[in-house]
Amino acid sequence: MEKTETQAKTCASWIEKASRIVLLSGAGLSTAAGIPDFRGPEGLYRRAGVDNPEALFDIERFDRDPSLFYRFHREFLRLFERITPTFTHRFFAALEARGAMEAVVTQNIDGLHQAAGSKKVLEIHGGIGSNHCRRCGASFTLDSLRTLMAAEEIPHCRCGGVIKPDVVFFGEAVRELEACQRATVEADLLVVAGSSLVVTPAAFLPSLCQGKIVVVNRGDFSERYLPRRRIDLFAEEDIDAFFHRVDDGLNLVAPLH
Ligand SMILES: [Zn+2]
């Protein structure tokens, strides 16, 4: 049997036994869905004419002049209309429906886990699904933001304040860190998918886990916060291909029509 096949079978058997599974998902899951790397040569930054990505998500800069951010966000939302969750997103949503998920902890801001049906999602870097007025704190759905963005370049609240997506910017605190830590401590199986475990504090989380740890990542990941000996299974391959194989014996994911 091929190595990846064996690994998928092992992972499936652990998933069957586990009752408090935590998924920690990172950028690899978004790129698998077709969201291009922000920084790549064809990336969104370039398309939006952004030459300094750090400035884009800087909260002080945003409050001074949100036009740069909204040029980017407009491109992002346009692209996002064509994006659907991957098999892996759907796999973990199906696991939650089965009652086996403690939480999905995600570094991604795209809301694809929720779109796939996951409800217990902790967005450590926030997400585009909700938005708030910087002045009065009024909240706006993604749909209402889109409507406002169709009418003006920079969407404003009725009070005159600028609306900002609940994405964590540089200079803002990460979200739900305590809940993320609690879930990870309690997990009997932690699956890390598509994260290179470089960006803290998410990269710290796996070391808190007392249960088994599975890492699925195409390409390598940083061992700075999670030493290789703590990992029970490392599948270095395409995430969707791996979870397709994991699901072969479990049959959790209904085929798309
Ligand atoms: Zn307001």
Side-chain angles (χ1 to χ4, degrees):
M1 215 164 19
E2 263 186 75
K3 185 187 169 203
T4 51
E5 192 114 329
T6 317
Q7 287 187 319
K9 285 218 159 108
T10 306
C11 183
S13 74
W14 291 349
I15 283 173
E16 271 197 307
K17 283 181 216 129
S19 58
R20 296 184 309 278
I21 301 168
V22 168
L23 169 68
L24 171 59
S25 72
L29 222 54
S30 295
T31 49
I35 296 177
D37 188 342
F38 285 175
R39 286 166 195 276
E42 298 302 316
L44 279 177
Y45 289 140
R46 176 166 289 199
R47 224 178 296 173
V50 176
D51 48 14
N52 181 6
E54 275 70 34
L56 190 59
F57 293 102
D58 184 285
I59 191 64
E60 281 179 22
R61 163 91 191 230
F62 180 89
D63 283 340
R64 235 173 20 241
D65 175 14
S67 61
L68 176 74
F69 172 78
Y70 269 107
R71 269 212 310 275
F72 167 81
H73 201 44
R74 199 171 286 276
E75 283 291 329
F76 183 76
L77 291 181
R78 194 169 294 152
L79 170 90
F80 190 70
E81 278 169 22
R82 305 192 299 268
I83 300 287
T84 51
T86 67
F87 182 88
T88 305
H89 288 100
R90 289 160 52 222
F91 178 81
F92 284 92
L95 262 183
E96 184 181 312
R98 215 195 199 198
M101 289 298 291
E102 183 79 20
V104 172
V105 175
T106 187
Q107 298 173 277
N108 302 332
I109 59 163
D110 49 44
L112 285 177
H113 285 295
Q114 296 91 322
S118 288
K119 295 191 170 56
K120 299 198 239 175
V121 183
L122 302 169
E123 296 179 308
I124 200 160
H125 296 151
I128 60 165
S130 59
N131 308 270
H132 281 87
C133 169
R134 288 292 286 166
R135 190 181 290 169
C136 76
S139 68
F140 298 83
T141 63
L142 181 56
D143 280 344
S144 57
L145 184 79
R146 277 184 203 276
T147 306
L148 291 167
M149 281 173 73
E152 56 177 347
E153 202 184 314
I154 294 163
H156 287 85
C157 173
R158 217 172 291 167
C159 80
V162 173
I163 300 165
K164 176 188 164 290
D166 294 349
V167 172
V168 174
F169 278 34
F170 297 113
E172 290 188 302
V174 297
R175 294 178 191 239
E176 319 217 59
L177 187 54
E178 270 179 50
C180 293
Q181 287 169 335
R182 205 176 317 125
T184 312
V185 167
E186 285 166 6
D188 52 7
L189 176 63
L190 173 70
V191 179
V192 181
S195 173
S196 48
L197 294 177
V198 172
V199 181
T200 58
F204 285 128
L205 290 172
S207 62
L208 302 174
C209 178
Q210 311 290 308
K212 282 192 157 47
I213 299 178
V214 172
V215 175
V216 188
N217 196 40
R218 193 174 220 169
D220 220 348
F221 64 95
S222 165
E223 295 185 52
R224 185 161 171 203
Y225 306 104
L226 181 65
R228 192 76 58 131
R229 65 187 142 76
R230 269 295 283 119
I231 300 169
D232 299 278
L233 194 156
F234 175 46
E236 190 174 0
E237 73 160 317
D238 180 82
I239 304 168
D240 262 9
F242 182 76
F243 284 104
H244 261 293
R245 264 194 287 270
V246 171
D247 193 50
D248 275 349
L250 300 171
N251 286 314
L252 293 174
V253 181
L256 281 178
H257 297 293

